[in-house]
Amino acid sequence: EGGGGLFEAERKLVEGWEREQREIAERVVCDDSQLGFDGRTCEGLKRVGGVDISFVKDNAEEACATLVVLEFPSMKVLHEVSRPARMKVPYVPGFLAFRECADLLDILQDLKRERPDLYPQVVMVDGSGVLHHRNCGLACHLGVLGDVPALGVAKNLLAVDGLTKAGVMEEWACLDAAAAA
């Protein structure tokens, strides 16, 4: 037999991921009223977390999952943990959460269980949030599943709805000019 069965399996896997993203996107809350701190002034914000997965050079499977929790506003390190992570899912653009979320979620849940007093009030995630093709990047996944407000802080701009790096830079220049006036 040809490879048609493999392509069909991949298509079904991606369709399942898309369905899960749509379901999680419906649970994302973008309203500051549910935060345990003032989202505009940061009054009441005491703990900020950051998570990332870093890879061993020239190896797409062996990685390190890291969580750092900082005291706000001093930025004193309150907690940091890194642990080996083995990526079981290949990287597929638009589906990073299915590759990285489980390891990051494990670290967050361990902290919540062992030291709930250090659990972050908000987490910055190296990945997209609602700026995503289905409004559900890695930050949304982690935030919903970890029950924590999460911000996507991606290294690269995900081109969604015609958004381009040049267009964003132009908008920033306009904002800078307006602020300087």
Side-chain angles (χ1 to χ4, degrees), residues 17-117:
W17 285 350
E18 288 174 342
R19 188 171 36 260
E20 188 172 339
Q21 284 177 328
R22 286 190 296 274
E23 290 168 2
I24 289 174
E26 289 177 11
R27 296 170 51 196
V28 171
V29 176
C30 293
D31 179 356
D32 287 356
S33 68
Q34 295 186 25
L35 296 174
F37 59 92
D38 188 310
R40 295 175 200 261
T41 65
C42 294
E43 185 176 336
L45 179 60
K46 296 182 178 16
R47 294 173 313 283
V48 176
V51 294
D52 190 16
I53 300 262
S54 298
F55 288 86
V56 173
K57 187 175 181 175
D58 298 324
N59 189 322
E61 292 180 4
E62 293 181 47
C64 180
T66 300
L67 164 66
V68 177
V69 180
L70 305 175
E71 180 181 71
F72 187 84
S74 73
M75 297 303 175
K76 174 185 164 199
V77 175
L78 298 175
H79 179 79
E80 61 183 308
V81 62
S82 294
R83 64 173 68 145
R86 189 169 235 356
M87 300 294 105
K88 298 168 190 82
V89 175
Y91 172 70
V92 179
F95 300 99
L96 182 64
F98 296 96
R99 178 174 171 85
E100 297 187 1
C101 190
D103 290 293
L104 298 174
L105 187 58
D106 285 347
I107 288 178
L108 275 170
Q109 289 175 333
D110 287 351
L111 177 61
K112 192 175 210 175
R113 186 179 55 257
E114 296 165 12
R115 291 293 310 268
D117 57 310

